[in-house]
């Protein structure tokens, strides 16, 4: 592995300006690594170093980040086409291009979005970029769904008695495969109104076991957490929700709306799907 690999094409390799160097995070963060892969501006030396180590060992990583963003755009469009006008983005990460509130507003002017993340940097950087009255960013964790769903600021924008679109992108493979994780998603599904939609994706081992294992070990080494799952294990997060066409598939196979250049297509390491609550 090279000590200083080149940044991937389109990625700004420079460190962002940091007003107070004493507050620079010393530990890499999933959201900021993802921001780096997408060409964002809110990442720090520890994140850049981690992203470069990951990319050097698995060049697929930046391609997968961009595939997740393409998938998110299509999922939000599909939800709005079904009449959903309120959204909950769990583990939202840092605002970049084509955020949920931006995509949803293209299809329906009255959409409302609540973003949730457990990183204070995400909140500090993200809140000024939101649309007041239409979107809000809350501190919260997918491993404490009750606190998220009972947050008073969530209820200023979202009516849990009406259909809600929930997005969990790039998060599940950082969660342990434990009864507690399953219970948190069961609590989420229970609180959703009929007609709600749940979209999630995760690194899975089915399409390319070797590539998926390599990438997972890299992420786990940088973050210290996670679980590599099979597609069947990922499907259990939907439980009795009705999985929509084309099912649980590699991200760029999920209702593609435009061709992707072969050089930008990642290996089928991250799969995603959309399901409705009956």
């Amino acid at each position: 592995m090279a000590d200083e690999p080149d940044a991937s094409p389109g990625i700004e390799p420079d460190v962002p300006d940091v007003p107070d160097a004493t507050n620079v995070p010393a530990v890499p963060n999933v959201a900021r690594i993802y921001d780096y892969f997408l060409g964002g501006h809110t990442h720090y030396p520890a994140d850049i170093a981690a992203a470069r180590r990951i990319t050097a060992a698995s060049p697929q990583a930046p391609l997968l980040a961009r595939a997740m963003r393409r998938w998110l755009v299509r999922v939000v469009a599909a939800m709005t086409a079904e009449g959903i006008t309120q959204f909950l983005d769990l583990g939202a990460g840092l605002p970049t291009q084509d955020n949920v509130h931006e995509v949803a507003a293209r299809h329906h002017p009255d959409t409302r979005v609540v973003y949730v993340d457990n990183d204070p940097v995400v909140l500090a950087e993200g809140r000024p970029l939101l649309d007041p009255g239409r979107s809000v960013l809350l501190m919260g964790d997918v491993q404490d769904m009750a606190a998220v769903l009972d947050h008073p600021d969530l209820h200023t924008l979202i009516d849990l008695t009406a259909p809600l679109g929930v997005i969990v992108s790039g998060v599940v493979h950082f969660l342990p495969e434990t009864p507690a994780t399953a219970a948190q998603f069961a609590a989420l599904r229970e609180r959703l109104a009929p007609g709600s939609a749940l979209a999630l994706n995760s690194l899975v081992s089915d399409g390319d076991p070797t590539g998926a294992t390599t990438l997972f070990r890299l992420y786990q080494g940088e973050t210290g957490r996670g679980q590599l799952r099979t597609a069947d294990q990922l499907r259990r997060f939907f439980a009795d929700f009705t999985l929509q066409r084309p099912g649980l598939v590699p991200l760029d196979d999920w209702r593609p709306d435009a061709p992707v250049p072969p050089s930008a297509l990642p290996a089928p390491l991250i799969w995603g799907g959309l399901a409705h609550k009956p």
Side-chain angles (χ1 to χ4, degrees):
M1 185 184 303
D3 291 334
E4 195 69 16
D6 293 335
S8 299
I11 292 179
E12 171 57 58
D14 295 333
V15 178
D17 293 333
V18 181
D20 181 357
T22 62
N23 292 328
V24 175
V27 177
N29 172 272
V30 172
R32 297 193 301 266
I33 292 172
Y34 185 56
D35 174 75
Y36 177 82
F37 285 149
L38 289 177
H41 301 287
T42 309
H43 44 261
Y44 299 97
D47 310 304
I48 295 172
R52 288 179 172 177
R53 288 191 295 268
I54 291 168
T55 303
S58 178
Q60 290 290 311
L63 301 181
L64 289 164
R66 294 165 196 158
M68 281 195 287
R69 184 60 45 159
R70 291 192 295 269
W71 174 86
L72 181 144
V73 169
R74 298 195 303 276
V75 159
V76 173
M79 290 181 180
T80 56
E82 296 161 359
I84 291 175
T85 58
Q86 53 177 8
F87 296 86
L88 176 62
D89 188 346
L90 294 170
L94 289 156
T96 178
Q97 63 278 350
D98 284 333
N99 299 291
V100 173
H101 69 281
E102 295 169 329
V103 177
R106 293 175 201 159
H107 301 279
H108 196 291
D110 296 325
T111 52
R112 304 175 308 284
V113 180
V114 171
Y115 295 100
V116 177
D117 205 279
N118 63 357
D119 180 8
V121 173
V122 169
L123 272 69
E125 297 286 345
R127 281 173 171 163
L129 303 177
L130 299 182
D131 182 6
R134 297 283 183 192
S135 55
V136 65
L137 179 53
L138 307 180
M139 175 70 82
D141 197 308
V142 295
Q143 296 184 87
D144 189 357
M145 291 291 188
V148 170
L149 296 175
D150 292 332
H151 197 295
D153 289 347
L154 179 143
H155 293 279
T156 65
L157 291 182
I158 284 180
D159 176 7
L160 290 177
T161 67
L164 174 66
V166 180
I167 300 160
V168 190
S169 179
V171 173
V172 173
H173 44 260
F174 293 110
L175 302 177
E177 183 74 2
T178 63
T181 297
Q184 292 301 322
F185 277 82
L188 170 66
R189 294 189 302 269
E190 176 66 25
R191 295 283 295 273
L192 297 180
S196 293
L198 172 62
L200 57 84
N201 64 47
S202 178
L203 187 65
V204 300
S205 60
D206 297 58
D208 180 354
T210 300
T213 300
T214 297
L215 184 56
F216 171 71
R217 287 176 176 168
L218 289 165
Y219 272 120
Q220 189 177 46
E222 298 295 346
T223 66
R225 53 198 174 95
Q227 175 69 48
L228 178 61
R229 293 174 172 84
T230 65
D232 186 59
Q233 287 174 308
L234 179 60
R235 192 175 290 108
R236 295 172 195 168
F237 283 84
F238 293 116
D240 60 348
F241 281 26
T242 305
L243 200 59
Q244 303 300 294
R245 66 170 183 87
L248 188 60
V249 296
L251 295 183
D252 281 309
D253 292 339
W254 197 90
R255 302 188 193 180
D257 55 4
V260 179
S263 61
L265 277 171
L269 304 182
I270 296 184
W271 292 25
L274 170 67
H276 290 161
K277 183 169 185 176

